[in-house]
Amino acid sequence: MNPVNRVLVPWPEIRDRLEGFAAEIYDGDRPPPADLSDVVACVLPYDKGTAPAELLSRPMPELRFVQALSAGVEKLLPLVGPDVVLCNGRGLHDASVAEHALGLVLAAQRDVPRWVRQQWIGSWARAHTRSLIDATVVILGYGSIGAAIETRLRACGAIVVPVANRARPESGVRGVAELEEILPRADILVLVLPDNAGTRGLLDAERLGLLPDDALVVNVGRGRAVDTEALLAETASGRLRAALDVTDPEPLPPGHPLWTVEGVLITPHVAGGSASFYPRAADFAVAQLRRFAAGEPLENIVER
């Protein structure tokens, strides 16, 4: 392994496993080190707001490799020079996001918020609910996370229709161009879309209108994929339901009408950050830095 000058990593669990590295902690809770002139690689802090952007906006003339631990890196692209390799965290969040998506679906279908409210007042008022078994679930934005969600949904007896940007008939994956045909059959629509020019507003008023009455819209991708005003209109009327881990705007401000719409369940963008993520991310970051130092091919390179 060739020695490297200096790398920044977010957690001691990564630093302490890096033999032969001059590894330093930058966790995003404090300002970056004043002198970054000899930093050749960095693993960015995860779920720390603007901290990654603040770091990358500093001069780092020797920087050659940036590892993000998030699957989406849209906000980082303008900050990483063409001579720097940028890798994302694709695959690290699959299990965590899939668990959360399944939890949102089940909570909405089995009306868990209703039972929680009844528990608070000691009410034993029974009713039958919707189910997941035999429901047709469209996964829009089908990649590695979508595949993990599909596995869990099929285990619950759902009928899954995966949809990606382009159709892959050999794998049973439909294309976005077929949405007008697919959406009217969806009992549940799960969005796992990234944030880019092609996905923003993809689920607009017209496409929401294609969903059947009482359909559930679940978003664990990016908030801007959905027209918020159109979704608010559909859910406030009671025609559609929603379970959202991401919103537009985000954070959803206090007083926004989505907070109090009956049939809307909101979690604060926490799907990817469960306990299962951190050991996987540490293992991956260590392996990537070792590959970098050895001059070996890196995984999850973002093509630009």
Side-chain angles (χ1 to χ4, degrees), residues 6-260:
R6 187 172 167 215
V7 298
L8 300 181
V9 298
W11 311 318
E13 293 84 354
I14 299 174
R15 178 198 60 195
D16 296 346
R17 294 166 59 185
L18 293 173
E19 297 179 1
F21 290 80
E24 184 175 343
I25 298 293
Y26 171 60
D27 59 11
D29 291 329
R30 291 169 291 277
D35 181 12
L36 301 171
S37 60
D38 59 348
V39 171
V40 296
C42 59
V43 179
L44 297 176
Y46 175 70
D47 199 19
K48 293 294 183 177
T50 61
E54 290 171 5
L55 175 65
L56 293 175
S57 66
R58 303 289 184 92
M60 288 187 279
E62 299 300 318
L63 187 66
R64 294 295 176 265
F65 166 46
V66 173
Q67 176 66 58
L69 298 178
S70 57
V73 294
E74 303 88 5
K75 294 180 180 179
L76 303 179
L77 293 175
L79 303 173
V80 178
D83 296 329
V84 178
V85 177
L86 172 64
C87 297
N88 65 20
R90 180 174 53 84
L92 299 179
H93 301 272
D94 293 4
S96 182
V97 176
E99 282 182 353
H100 197 81
L102 178 61
L104 290 175
V105 169
L106 289 172
Q109 291 297 93
R110 299 308 300 260
D111 217 357
V112 170
R114 173 181 179 172
W115 311 129
V116 171
R117 290 193 298 269
Q118 287 192 185
Q119 179 183 345
W120 290 343
I121 61 173
S123 170
W124 191 273
R126 299 175 66 245
H128 293 168
T129 68
R130 306 166 188 87
S131 183
L132 176 54
I133 191 168
D134 296 331
T136 297
V137 185
V138 175
I139 301 177
L140 179 54
Y142 187 80
S144 62
I145 293 176
I149 295 172
E150 178 185 21
T151 298
R152 288 155 177 80
L153 291 172
R154 288 193 184 278
C156 293
I159 301 162
V160 178
V161 181
V163 181
N165 187 40
R166 295 184 181 86
R168 302 196 293 272
E170 71 284 356
S171 304
V173 179
R174 309 286 293 271
V176 168
E178 303 173 77
L179 276 180
E180 279 64 27
E181 172 196 343
I182 294 169
L183 291 178
R185 299 187 287 111
D187 299 305
I188 301 168
L189 173 63
V190 179
L191 301 169
V192 202
L193 293 164
D195 183 36
N196 57 48
T199 63
R200 289 171 200 146
L202 183 62
L203 201 64
D204 57 11
E206 182 178 354
R207 291 196 171 104
L208 284 169
L210 294 174
L211 291 166
D213 291 354
D214 200 47
L216 172 66
V217 177
V218 179
N219 195 355
V220 291
R222 289 294 183 265
R224 291 200 287 181
V226 181
D227 181 325
T228 299
E229 291 304 313
L231 181 63
L232 177 60
E234 291 279 18
T235 53
S237 73
R239 198 186 79 79
L240 297 181
R241 299 171 295 127
L244 310 172
D245 186 55
V246 292
T247 60
D248 178 31
E250 188 174 305
L252 194 65
H256 193 286
L258 268 179
W259 283 115
T260 54

